[in-house]
Amino acid sequence: MRIRYGIILSATLFAAVLFSCTTQKKLAYLNNLGEGSGEQYFAMTAPEYKLQKRDILYISIKAMTPDGVITDFLSVSRGNLSTTIMQSESGQFLFGYDVNKDGDILLPVIGRIKVEGLTLDEARELIEEKAGSVFREAAVECKLLSFKFTVIGEVKMPGTYVNYNNYLTVFEAIGRAGGIGDYGKRNNIIVLRSGKDGTKTYRLNLQDKNILSSEAYFLLPNDVVIVEPEKNKIFNMNLPTISFLASSLTSTVTIL
């Protein structure tokens, strides 16, 4: 009887350990690319972000003064601000140009300009057109300061990050968050994307090469990436307790 109990407990513990194991395939990215040396191409189109209310823009207008000196007129209107202040998040919020509730930005001398619904290039061209009626040979630079994205769930460093680039892929976003942990699902990533009509959701499989052609492969400002846990996470977390209880029970049966 004692041997029978020992065999049953050992088999149960072995099955529990086997069930909790994670295979290499589950941890790999793009695991269906194949091992051939030939190149593969995937059609993809980076989405053009349309400016929305509450976005914050960096804008500079360089033009020639009557004395023939090229000056950034918006920098003059801001005063002598240090580079450190302008590079900080609070500085960008205070001294950037935000898109108000009406979809407008307010620039000194030029006035209100409607930019909601425009791409950055379209906004720059429009601002340059308006500035041309006020300044001589105006050249405009326009960048988005509020390109934030959030990665939460089973990653090593969840949080909200700022992207200082025009484009960002879901792989880069997860990499900024330290990568997916051992308990994270790589084949069912959720992307939340807010727009003027509501929030749209996407499900991405990081192990499938077709993700490279997905609409959500390139992230947009304010996107949220959610990495869900594997089903066996709770079991794996409780495995030391289960092993201890099984070991104690085995010892008790042996003593009896």
Side-chain angles (χ1 to χ4, degrees):
M1 182 66 68
R2 182 177 61 186
I3 296 176
R4 183 182 302 174
Y5 276 122
I7 293 174
I8 294 174
L9 289 172
S10 299
T12 302
L13 184 60
F14 176 76
V17 173
L18 185 63
F19 175 77
S20 65
C21 290
T22 302
T23 63
Q24 180 183 4
K25 188 174 182 180
K26 282 189 174 183
L27 297 177
Y29 297 97
L30 302 177
N31 57 24
N32 61 348
L33 274 176
E35 298 181 358
S37 58
E39 295 180 350
Q40 300 184 48
Y41 295 92
F42 299 87
M44 63 176 68
T45 302
E48 287 284 358
Y49 178 68
K50 303 293 182 68
L51 294 174
Q52 302 179 24
K53 297 178 180 67
R54 298 187 299 176
D55 280 341
I56 301 176
L57 302 177
Y58 165 81
I59 301 173
S60 69
I61 300 178
K62 293 182 174 65
M64 187 174 295
T65 65
D67 299 331
V69 179
I70 297 177
T71 304
D72 187 343
F73 286 90
L74 295 187
S75 292
V76 172
S77 67
R78 294 186 186 104
N80 295 321
L81 301 174
S82 68
T83 303
T84 304
I85 294 176
M86 283 299 297
Q87 288 180 346
S88 68
E89 187 172 349
S90 59
Q92 292 171 0
F93 176 76
L94 292 174
F95 303 109
Y97 294 93
D98 63 308
V99 183
N100 63 22
K101 62 180 181 179
D102 298 320
D104 302 336
I105 56 173
L106 179 60
L107 298 180
V109 182
I110 298 175
R112 293 180 179 273
I113 301 177
K114 185 81 169 182
V115 296
E116 182 186 13
L118 301 181
T119 65
L120 281 174
D121 286 337
E122 292 170 343
R124 183 192 60 77
E125 292 173 0
L126 179 59
I127 296 170
E128 195 167 74
E129 178 185 340
K130 299 290 185 181
S133 62
V134 179
F135 304 106
R136 290 177 53 195
E137 301 179 15
V140 174
E141 185 178 7
C142 180
K143 296 181 179 180
L144 181 66
L145 292 176
S146 54
F147 193 153
K148 294 182 179 180
F149 64 95
T150 302
V151 185
I152 57 176
E154 296 299 318
V155 291
K156 296 178 181 177
M157 296 183 297
T160 299
Y161 298 87
V162 179
N163 177 47
Y164 295 103
N165 201 329
N166 289 332
Y167 300 104
L168 176 74
T169 69
V170 66
F171 284 113
E172 291 173 323
I174 292 175
R176 289 279 297 276
I180 298 177
D182 295 339
Y183 298 136
K185 283 185 179 180
R186 288 161 174 78
N187 61 352
N188 198 11
I189 305 297
I190 300 175
V191 175
L192 305 181
R193 178 165 297 167
S194 299
K196 63 178 182 179
D197 298 325
T199 300
K200 190 174 182 180
T201 63
Y202 302 87
R203 287 191 178 270
L204 304 178
N205 184 354
L206 302 186
Q207 298 177 321
D208 186 355
K209 60 185 179 183
N210 291 321
I211 188 180
L212 300 177
S213 302
S214 170
E215 182 182 350
Y217 178 67
F218 285 97
L219 298 182
L220 293 179
N222 305 315
D223 278 359
V224 178
V225 180
I226 303 174
V227 181
E228 294 184 324
E230 292 280 0
K231 292 182 180 179
N232 60 352
K233 175 184 178 180
I234 301 299
F235 181 84
N236 287 341
M237 293 176 64
N238 293 327
L239 186 58
T241 303
I242 295 173
S243 301
F244 172 76
L245 292 176
S247 177
S248 300
L249 186 58
T250 302
S251 300
T252 303
V253 171
T254 302
I255 292 172
L256 291 175

